[in-house]
């Protein structure tokens, strides 16, 4: 049985073969040898996922949070997916069936994280209009934010004063549907788990595509053989051009200020941890830096399967956005939808399964060394101060994040 860790990435010590490949490839040297095993120094780790991809024995593991989602299904709260736009490259050809599969698993609604990305771009555009420039480092990638905080503290003040697209999207969902909901992010990023841990409720839980694919396999849900009668619905609406965020230069192209201005280059895109570290270590410009830890963008994140080439994945996202735009679609109004999807059957299934799972957990010897397991069977502690610390420059987002009564008060802990 795998160890449940409080950190997004952990080491299965018993399977470590002391090859030291993770030590050699870690870009920030956050792995040390202790008792002949390669252990992660979490206070130095940026959770980029390099060690997970490079470990030949699968010793570096991603914390699995599916159990927590199943617990959420048993509560009386609605469970909403914040779906990363890179799902169209991970499940190319089965995009709609993947959304259907999420409903089949038991989720009450599916929303696109790119809605939050659109709000972030709008906020930055407003800042440029008011101040003339925005010489910030983007906060869309939590791994880059960790890198700046831990290794380049002199640039902390340069981090964009806007929450990440995921945090903004989570706040927006709470603004629409109140606080009695559970928000589950699904995407390619391991560091989003850290974002969920550090900002409880924005979102509540984060899953990688790998976890969801394994979950679908366990539930015997096949994307090529799913009921097409299940409607493909996004709440409160489909995302527009901001769905191009997961590819390099996507955030810049979403901006109405910076798009189609490659020659002027008042906003620059850098992807890949080595390129970012080089940019921060060298001569820094006064331009906006769109920084993405993964080479080519989130489409190549550590939580993906990378079955297709990077070029194919990039084309899949671009084609998806172009298809939406060519049909005349634009995200003009976000209406409050009703989330009345009948998910009683899946939730009953999880309740029955949980009864035996919980009994096994409670019988375990929860010693001090196994405190992580104790955390895995409890809800995160919500705080009225848990909303993102960064102050969004968009008046619309400021009002949304400050609406304590609707989006910042602790949710009720229903059974």
């Amino acid at each position: 049985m795998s160890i449940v860790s409080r950190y997004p990435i952990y080491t299965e010590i018993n399977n470590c073969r002391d090859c030291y490949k993770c030590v050699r490839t870690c870009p920030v040297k956050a792995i040390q040898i202790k008792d002949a095993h390669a252990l992660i120094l979490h206070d130095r780790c940026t959770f980029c996922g390099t060690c997970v991809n490079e470990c030949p024995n699968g010793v570096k593991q991603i914390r699995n949070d599916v159990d927590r989602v199943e617990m959420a299904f048993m509560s009386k709260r609605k469970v909403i997916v914040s779906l990363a736009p890179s799902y169209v490259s991970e499940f190319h050809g089965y995009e709609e069936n993947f959304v259907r599969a999420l409903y089949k698993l038991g989720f009450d609604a599916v929303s696109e994280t790119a809605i939050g990305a659109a709000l972030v771009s709008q906020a930055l555009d407003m800042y440029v209009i008011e101040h003339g420039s925005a010489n910030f480092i983007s906060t869309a990638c939590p791994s880059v934010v960790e890198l700046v905080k831990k290794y380049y503290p002199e640039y902390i003040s340069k981090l964009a004063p806007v929450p990440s697209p995921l945090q903004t999207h989570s706040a927006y969902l709470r603004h629409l549907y109140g606080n009695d909901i559970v928000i589950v992010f699904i995407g390619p990023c391991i560091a989003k788990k850290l974002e969920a841990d550090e900002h409880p409720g924005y979102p509540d839980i984060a899953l990688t595509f790998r976890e969801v694919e394994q979950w679908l396999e366990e539930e015997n849900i096949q994307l090529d053989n799913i009921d097409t009668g299940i409607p493909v619905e996004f709440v409160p609406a489909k995302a527009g051009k901001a769905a191009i965020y997961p590819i390099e230069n996507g955030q810049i192209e979403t901006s109405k200020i910076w798009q189609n201005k490659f020659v002027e280059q008042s906003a620059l895109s850098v992807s890949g941890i080595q390129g970012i570290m080089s940019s921060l270590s060298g001569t820094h410009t006064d331009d906006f830096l769109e920084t993405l830890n993964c080479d080519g963008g989130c489409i190549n994140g550590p939580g993906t399967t990378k079955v297709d080439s990077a070029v194919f994945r990039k084309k899949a996202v671009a084609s998806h956005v172009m298809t939406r735009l060519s049909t005349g679609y634009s995200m003009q109004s976000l209406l409050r939808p009703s989330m009345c999807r009948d998910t009683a059957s899946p939730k009953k299934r999880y309740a029955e399964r949980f009864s035996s799972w919980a009994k096994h957990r409670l019988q375990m010897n929860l010693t001090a060394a196994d405190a992580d397991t104790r955390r895995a069977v409890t809800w995160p502690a919500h705080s009225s101060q848990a909303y993102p610390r960064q102050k969004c420059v968009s008046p619309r987002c400021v009002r949304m994040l400050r609406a304590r009564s609707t989006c910042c008060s602790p949710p009720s802990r229903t059974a």
Side-chain angles (χ1 to χ4, degrees):
M1 180 181 64
S2 299
I3 300 172
V4 180
S5 172
R6 62 174 291 196
Y7 297 105
I9 303 175
Y10 65 96
T11 304
E12 288 277 12
I13 297 178
N14 295 334
N15 297 327
C16 185
R17 295 293 178 264
D18 308 327
C19 68
Y20 305 148
K21 189 172 184 180
C22 59
V23 178
R24 294 192 297 270
T25 57
C26 177
V28 294
K29 305 306 177 186
I31 299 177
Q32 71 171 0
I33 304 300
K34 185 176 181 180
D35 299 329
H37 297 301
L39 302 180
I40 300 172
L41 299 173
H42 291 100
D43 59 334
R44 298 180 60 182
C45 181
T46 63
F47 304 95
C48 65
T50 299
C51 59
V52 175
N53 290 333
E54 295 295 334
C55 180
N57 301 308
V59 173
K60 294 296 184 284
Q61 292 285 317
I62 304 172
R63 186 187 69 203
N64 194 312
D65 289 319
V66 171
D67 289 344
R68 293 179 59 200
V69 179
E70 292 180 342
M71 290 171 65
F73 284 163
M74 296 187 302
S75 72
K76 295 180 181 179
R77 291 184 285 176
K78 298 291 185 180
V79 184
I80 307 177
V81 173
S82 177
L83 183 59
S86 51
Y87 82 96
V88 299
S89 62
E90 179 70 8
F91 303 97
H92 183 68
Y94 298 97
E95 298 93 331
E96 293 188 348
N97 281 359
F98 178 67
V99 177
R100 293 186 178 101
L102 294 179
Y103 282 114
K104 197 173 179 67
L105 283 173
F107 289 101
D108 294 285
V110 178
S111 186
E112 293 192 275
T113 315
I115 291 176
L119 293 174
V120 169
S121 291
Q122 180 188 31
L124 289 171
D125 285 349
M126 292 178 65
Y127 187 94
V128 173
I129 293 173
E130 294 175 5
H131 297 83
S133 64
N135 55 336
F136 296 123
I137 300 171
S138 65
T139 56
C141 178
S143 185
V144 172
V145 173
E146 284 296 296
L147 179 72
V148 172
K149 289 180 177 179
K150 293 178 178 178
Y151 295 93
Y152 301 93
E154 66 272 22
Y155 289 126
I156 290 178
S157 61
K158 289 291 186 179
L159 289 172
V162 186
S164 72
L166 174 57
Q167 293 172 19
T168 304
H169 185 228
S170 299
Y172 187 74
L173 290 176
R174 294 192 182 281
H175 173 74
L176 287 180
Y177 308 116
N179 222 13
D180 200 27
I181 60 174
V182 177
I183 301 173
V184 179
F185 172 77
I186 296 178
C189 184
I190 298 175
K192 291 295 185 186
K193 290 179 177 287
L194 181 68
E195 194 169 359
D197 294 344
E198 293 187 343
H199 303 283
Y202 300 88
D204 294 282
I205 307 169
L207 301 179
T208 63
F209 288 139
R210 290 189 192 183
E211 290 172 88
V212 176
E213 290 181 68
Q214 182 181 354
W215 190 8
L216 290 173
E217 185 178 345
E218 292 172 354
E219 295 298 328
N220 196 28
I221 299 176
Q222 301 174 357
L223 297 183
D224 57 354
N225 185 26
I226 197 169
D227 182 11
T228 55
I230 302 175
V232 178
E233 299 174 349
F234 291 101
V235 300
K238 293 180 180 178
K241 189 176 181 179
I244 205 171
Y245 251 67
I247 62 178
E248 185 176 3
N249 210 53
Q251 180 176 4
I252 293 174
E253 282 301 313
T254 302
S255 166
K256 293 182 179 180
I257 302 294
W258 295 319
Q259 64 181 355
N260 302 322
K261 293 185 178 181
F262 180 77
V263 177
E264 294 183 19
Q265 291 192 336
S266 57
L268 305 172
S269 179
V270 184
S271 70
I273 184 66
Q274 297 300 338
I276 294 171
M277 293 176 69
S278 174
S279 300
L280 297 179
S281 300
T283 303
H284 192 65
T285 67
D286 289 330
D287 302 308
F288 176 82
L289 291 184
E290 175 200 297
T291 51
L292 297 172
N293 178 84
C294 301
D295 287 308
C298 308
I299 53 174
N300 301 311
T304 63
T305 56
K306 296 185 177 67
V307 175
D308 299 312
S309 68
V311 173
F312 184 89
R313 299 168 76 85
K314 183 175 182 179
K315 181 68 173 180
V317 172
S319 298
H320 173 75
V321 174
M322 285 301 298
T323 299
R324 284 192 177 179
L325 296 180
S326 64
T327 57
Y329 177 81
S330 62
M331 194 173 56
Q332 296 294 337
S333 61
L334 302 180
L335 305 178
R336 184 187 183 96
S338 62
M339 294 184 293
C340 56
R341 186 66 63 91
D342 181 14
T343 55
S345 180
K347 290 184 177 181
K348 181 179 179 181
R349 182 174 73 247
Y350 290 119
E352 293 173 348
R353 179 185 305 166
F354 178 75
S355 61
S356 59
W357 176 82
K359 183 178 179 180
H360 170 71
R361 289 276 183 172
L362 294 175
Q363 288 176 345
M364 294 177 65
N365 180 22
L366 299 181
T367 61
D370 199 27
D372 295 340
T373 304
R374 210 179 282 116
R375 174 187 176 277
V377 296
T378 59
W379 285 103
H382 288 261
S383 167
S384 59
Q385 302 296 326
Y387 64 95
R389 292 183 180 180
Q390 300 102 319
K391 182 180 179 182
C392 181
V393 296
S394 166
R396 183 180 185 183
C397 290
V398 169
R399 291 195 301 270
M400 176 171 52
L401 291 172
R402 287 180 177 175
R404 299 282 181 100
S405 61
T406 57
C407 72
C408 291
S409 58
S412 59
R413 299 179 64 151
T414 52

